[in-house]
Amino acid sequence: MANIRDVAKHAGVSVATVSRYINRKGYVSKEAKEVIEQSIAVLKYKPNLVARSLSKKQAKFIGLIVPDIMNPFFPELARAVEDVSLTYGYTVVLCNSDRNTEKEIHYIETLKQKYVAGFIVTTNHLDAQHYTNLELPVVALDRTIHPSIPTVSSNNKEGSYLGTTHLIEQGCRHILCLRGPKGVGPADDRLAGFLEAVEGKEIQVHVIDCPFEYNQAEQISKQTLLTYPSIDGIFASSDLSAAGALKAAHSLGIDVPGELQIVGFDGISLGEMMTPGLTTVAQDIYKMGAIATRVLIKLIENLPIEHKEIQVPVTLVQRGTTRSVEK
C-alpha cells in the first residue's frame, strides 16, 4: 500500500508539499497539485484518516443535530446533508436530540472528543453560547441561533402569508391557525405571516398552540372543530399538523375541501400521499440542506462565505385540501 513518501517520490516533490496538498493547508503551486493528483491516482493512495485526525485534531465528520427524526421534514434535510457531504469526502453523524437539552449537550461533547470537523444544527433549545463557544464551525439550518452563526432557512413569514391568503381567496372566513410551538423561530415567523394576512379583513380567527406532531395536532384540531363548528379553513404551521387536522376532519365527517379547507407548511413528500393531497407552502428542503452543508464545509476549510444569512424561496403547492383544484 502506497504511503505519502511514495506519492512524493512519484510526483517529484517533497513530502511536505504532498502534506500541504492533502491537508489543504499552505501554498501548493498549480503544477505541483496536478502532478500530486496524478500520482495519488496512479498509486491509489489513500490518506491515513486516523493519523490526520490526531495530528490536526479534526476528523472528516460532520455532526447533524435534529430535534425529532420522526418528523419527515428532518430525514429529507438529512438526505441532502449526507449527499453533499459525501461528495466532499465527509461523513455525517446524525444525532436526534428529541428536543432534550441534556441529550443535545451530550452529542456535542461526544463528537467534540471524536474531533468532529463541524456541526449543522436544526434545533435552538440550547443557549446560543453553547454554540458560539464551541470553537468549531457551526451552521444553523431552519433555525436562527446567533447573528455570528451562518443560517440557512426558508422565508417562513412570506410563506405563511401566501398560504393564509390562499385560504382567504378560496372563500374561508373563519380560520384556525395551528401556530406551532412558541419560541421556535419558524413557528413564530409563520404566525407573524398569518396575522399579517388576516389583518384588516373580516375574518374570524383562532390561534392555537400546536406542536409539529401528528397525534397531538389531530386531538387539538378535533376539539377545536367541535367547539367552533363554523371554522371553514385551517392554516397549519407544519405538514404534520395539517395531516393531523385532516384526520380530525375525517373522523368528524367534515368534507375536505367542501366544508373545510386546509393548508400546511413544509412540502414534505407525505403531502402527496394523503387523500386528498395536501395543499402546502413548500420549502425546497433538499436545497436548504445542500446549501447549509456547502457553507459548513467552506468554514471547515477556511474558505470565505458570501453571506451569513441565506433564505430559500417558498412556493404554494395547490392540491386537494383546497377548492382551487379538483378533488
Side-chain angles (χ1 to χ4, degrees):
M1 183 180 292
N3 57 41
I4 192 170
R5 291 181 178 81
D6 297 327
V7 173
K9 183 178 179 180
H10 189 275
V13 298
S14 68
V15 172
T17 300
V18 178
S19 178
R20 287 197 299 273
Y21 169 81
I22 292 171
N23 294 308
R24 300 187 182 186
K25 191 172 183 180
Y27 174 75
V28 179
S29 70
K30 182 180 178 181
E31 294 78 10
K33 287 179 181 178
E34 290 176 354
V35 295
I36 291 169
E37 286 172 359
Q38 292 171 5
S39 296
I40 287 174
V42 170
L43 299 174
K44 297 181 180 179
Y45 169 69
K46 293 183 179 180
N48 186 326
L49 297 180
V50 174
R52 285 181 64 196
S53 65
L54 291 172
S55 63
K56 294 177 65 181
K57 294 196 181 302
Q58 181 191 104
K60 298 201 77 172
F61 292 104
I62 290 173
L64 172 60
I65 301 178
V66 303
D68 180 11
I69 199 64
M70 295 298 291
N71 185 331
F73 174 79
F74 294 108
E76 291 187 29
L77 270 184
R79 176 59 187 268
V81 173
E82 181 185 37
D83 285 351
V84 175
S85 296
L86 283 173
T87 64
Y88 288 90
Y90 287 83
T91 299
V92 177
V93 180
L94 178 62
C95 304
N96 178 48
S97 74
D98 285 325
R99 302 186 182 89
N100 183 304
T101 56
E102 291 183 3
K103 196 172 179 181
E104 191 167 335
I105 291 171
H106 167 75
Y107 282 134
I108 290 170
E109 294 303 317
T110 300
L111 290 180
K112 278 178 65 179
Q113 293 173 18
K114 302 296 183 183
Y115 300 136
V116 68
F119 288 95
I120 295 175
V121 180
T122 66
T123 65
N124 60 352
H125 294 92
L126 296 180
D127 293 336
Q129 66 179 16
H130 280 94
Y131 303 105
T132 57
N133 293 340
L134 275 179
E135 298 181 351
L136 283 171
V138 177
V139 172
L141 178 53
D142 191 49
R143 304 283 194 273
T144 298
I145 296 175
H146 188 270
S148 66
I149 295 175
T151 304
V152 179
S153 64
S154 64
N155 195 325
N156 290 293
K157 184 176 179 181
E158 177 186 317
S160 59
Y161 181 92
L162 189 66
T164 306
T165 299
H166 177 64
L167 285 173
I168 295 170
E169 289 174 345
Q170 299 310 310
C172 295
R173 293 296 177 265
H174 189 174
I175 302 176
L176 166 65
C177 174
L178 300 176
R179 63 141 288 155
K182 289 181 180 178
V184 174
D188 293 342
D189 291 342
R190 291 169 195 177
L191 174 63
F194 171 83
L195 294 175
E196 186 174 311
V198 299
E199 185 178 4
K201 298 180 176 66
E202 294 183 2
I203 305 293
Q204 189 174 355
V205 169
H206 298 283
V207 177
I208 306 289
D209 293 352
C210 179
F212 296 153
E213 200 273 331
Y214 174 83
N215 290 326
Q216 292 188 60
E218 180 190 355
Q219 294 170 10
I220 291 168
S221 298
K222 187 173 184 178
Q223 183 59 52
T224 308
L225 289 169
L226 285 169
T227 305
Y228 304 100
S230 62
I231 288 174
D232 57 5
I234 296 178
F235 172 75
S237 288
S238 77
D239 283 350
L240 270 189
S241 301
L246 181 60
K247 177 68 179 299
H250 178 74
S251 69
L252 293 172
I254 299 172
D255 178 63
V256 177
E259 300 173 85
L260 175 69
Q261 300 183 75
I262 301 173
V263 173
F265 199 121
D266 278 334
I268 59 177
S269 56
L270 174 67
E272 296 180 79
M273 305 174 195
M274 294 163 57
T275 303
L278 178 65
T279 294
T280 185
V281 178
Q283 307 181 79
D284 193 332
I285 301 173
Y286 194 93
K287 185 175 183 179
M288 289 168 62
I291 291 174
T293 308
R294 292 189 184 102
V295 170
L296 179 65
I297 290 172
K298 282 185 176 181
L299 293 174
I300 291 168
E301 299 184 356
N302 295 314
L303 298 173
I305 59 173
E306 295 179 5
H307 304 287
K308 274 276 181 86
E309 186 172 342
I310 300 171
Q311 278 198 339
V312 178
V314 295
T315 56
L316 180 69
V317 177
Q318 299 176 32
R319 299 193 184 106
T321 57
T322 56
R323 290 195 292 264
S324 55
V325 293
E326 295 183 356
K327 297 183 193 178

